[in-house]
Amino acid sequence: MIIGLTGGNGSGKTQIAEYLKSRGFEYFSLSDEIRQEIRSRGLEITRDMLIRVGNELRERFGPGALAERILKNLELGGNYVVDSIRNPSEVDVLRRRKDFVLLAVVADPEVRFERSRKRGREQAAQTLEQFIEEERRELESDNPASQQLELTRKKADLVVTNNGTLEDLHRHLDQVLPPLMSRFDRPGWDEYFMSIAKVVATRSNCMKRKVAAIIVKDRRVISTGYNGTPRGARNCNEGGCPRCNAMVASGTALDECLCSHGEENAITQAAYYGIRLKGATLYTTFAPCLLCTKMIINSGIVEVVYNQDYPLNGTALSLLKECGVIVRRHKV
């Protein structure tokens, strides 16, 4: 999952990030993206410079630009902590991922000032009054590209109050994070298998369209196939199929096409390796044509789930239903 952190200076975001890093989370910081930009310009890193350059990047590339830079590095299946989220649009960008949650870290100004002063980072304010005045500029702004901590905080899934010791904070995190981390979405079986079929389709060598099918039994993939020229022939994209390489109009000269369909290859691959298909389900990225439909029926497949309609398959779908094969569409 992705846990985002927002909060004022000295609130304890770094301590929470360190806690999560020790639990296997990979760390990213939007402020580090700004620091990198400042260094590339040969400028000194100060708090004012961080605010100015951060606002400038949001103005130039959009209010969610810093989060966009981070998001492309966050792979599915990993655990990440993203620090220094300061604009509502950054939250919106990260929420494209269903596994994202936002933690707002809060603490009293006096507590945060003392922490900031001891840290001594990037010309920290030396008086409480200066600290509060500097922070006031970060809380709200009429400029959507500026830091807007108050609006960002309102988007939080969880607020963590951190006025005590580090031990107090860790005990609190031990209590509140496990329930939060358990709130992730797992794909249903249809989405899972159709997503696999779409990946299989990327192996297709057909010039016209990339299509694939997988055959599943007892929730286990037992055969896969993608469209392309037969075993031993030149690949379609290497000139193996004259019809596809001639870029003929869709639906014409089909009897001249040398490419086997994804469903056809999945069924014949099972036959090649002696795998029984009776009672299986076929997932295909396109609804099957009439030829593949007859193979599906005669192989004993009992259910077909397809992602996209095929414009010439009205007769095929009717035949599947007539022969008792369940047909469903599941769009991914």
Side-chain angles (χ1 to χ4, degrees):
M1 71 179 308
I2 306 168
I3 295 181
L5 301 176
T6 188
N9 192 24
S11 59
K13 300 187 300 298
T14 299
Q15 283 71 31
I16 293 180
E18 290 297 326
Y19 170 95
L20 291 170
K21 285 163 64 178
S22 71
R23 271 68 176 174
F25 281 69
E26 188 175 349
Y27 177 80
F28 290 89
S29 170
L30 271 65
S31 291
D32 286 346
E33 293 291 317
I34 305 173
R35 290 187 181 93
Q36 183 176 340
E37 179 69 24
I38 294 172
R39 291 190 191 99
S40 70
R41 300 181 186 185
L43 302 173
E44 182 184 2
I45 298 176
T46 66
R47 185 173 179 181
D48 284 343
M49 185 62 69
L50 282 165
I51 294 172
R52 184 169 71 80
V53 173
N55 290 347
E56 178 186 321
L57 291 174
R58 296 187 194 97
E59 284 273 11
R60 184 177 178 184
F61 300 108
L66 296 174
E68 296 278 7
R69 293 188 181 191
I70 295 291
L71 189 62
K72 65 183 180 182
N73 296 313
L74 308 184
E75 297 181 358
L76 290 173
N79 283 330
Y80 303 96
V81 53
V82 179
D83 197 3
S84 302
I85 299 171
R86 297 175 177 273
N87 186 284
S89 293
E90 294 165 350
V91 180
D92 295 339
V93 168
L94 292 167
R95 284 210 193 278
R96 293 178 195 163
R97 287 277 296 270
K98 293 180 180 179
D99 53 354
F100 173 78
V101 294
L102 180 65
L103 268 63
V105 193
V106 298
D108 295 338
E110 295 80 7
V111 174
R112 293 189 293 104
F113 165 67
E114 192 60 28
R115 290 172 182 163
S116 176
R117 189 180 64 81
K118 289 180 178 179
R119 189 170 58 184
R121 190 175 184 182
E122 289 142 5
Q123 300 181 357
Q126 297 302 304
T127 67
L128 177 61
E129 291 74 17
Q130 181 186 356
F131 179 83
I132 293 174
E133 175 57 28
E134 288 179 351
E135 185 175 67
R136 184 185 60 80
R137 290 178 292 168
E138 302 178 19
L139 291 176
E140 298 180 358
S141 173
D142 293 332
N143 183 354
S146 297
Q147 294 189 27
Q148 297 182 332
L149 280 177
E150 193 61 40
L151 291 176
T152 304
R153 187 182 303 151
K154 290 179 180 179
K155 287 180 170 282
D157 301 284
L158 177 69
V159 177
V160 175
T161 302
N162 179 32
N163 285 319
T165 65
L166 186 60
E167 292 74 20
D168 293 334
L169 176 62
H170 284 182
R171 280 194 295 269
H172 185 51
L173 294 175
D174 287 341
Q175 293 176 346
V176 300
L177 286 184
L180 195 66
M181 292 178 64
S182 68
R183 289 166 38 190
F184 55 82
D185 291 327
R186 297 176 66 197
W189 288 111
D190 281 346
E191 183 177 357
Y192 173 70
F193 288 125
M194 192 64 76
S195 297
I196 293 174
K198 293 188 76 172
V199 173
V200 173
T202 63
R203 281 286 301 164
S204 168
N205 62 67
C206 182
M207 292 282 291
K208 294 286 285 184
R209 176 183 286 144
K210 293 181 180 294
V211 181
I214 66 171
I215 302 175
V216 175
K217 194 169 185 179
D218 298 326
R219 292 179 177 173
R220 182 172 62 91
V221 178
I222 59 175
S223 186
T224 68
Y226 49 83
N227 62 326
T229 48
R231 181 183 282 110
R234 278 189 302 161
N235 287 333
C236 180
N237 63 310
E238 297 170 339
C241 178
R243 184 256 180 188
C244 291
N245 282 265
M247 297 301 292
V248 300
S250 295
T252 64
L254 295 176
D255 57 334
E256 300 175 11
C257 183
L258 301 186
C259 291
S260 298
H261 291 186
E263 303 95 326
E264 181 182 358
N265 275 333
I267 292 170
T268 55
Q269 282 282 30
Y272 188 84
Y273 290 104
I275 300 171
R276 190 166 181 257
L277 300 184
K278 185 177 180 180
T281 296
L282 182 140
Y283 287 84
T284 177
T285 56
F286 272 81
C289 70
L290 185 57
L291 173 63
C292 290
T293 290
K294 291 183 284 187
M295 296 181 69
I296 288 167
I297 294 167
N298 287 338
S299 67
I301 291 171
V302 297
E303 183 176 27
V304 172
V305 185
Y306 66 95
N307 183 57
Q308 288 183 254
D309 275 318
Y310 178 60
L312 304 174
N313 70 336
T315 302
L317 293 180
S318 297
L319 183 60
L320 287 168
K321 294 175 182 177
E322 179 185 344
C323 294
V325 178
I326 299 169
V327 180
R328 296 187 292 113
R329 183 180 185 187
H330 184 80
K331 180 75 173 174
V332 173

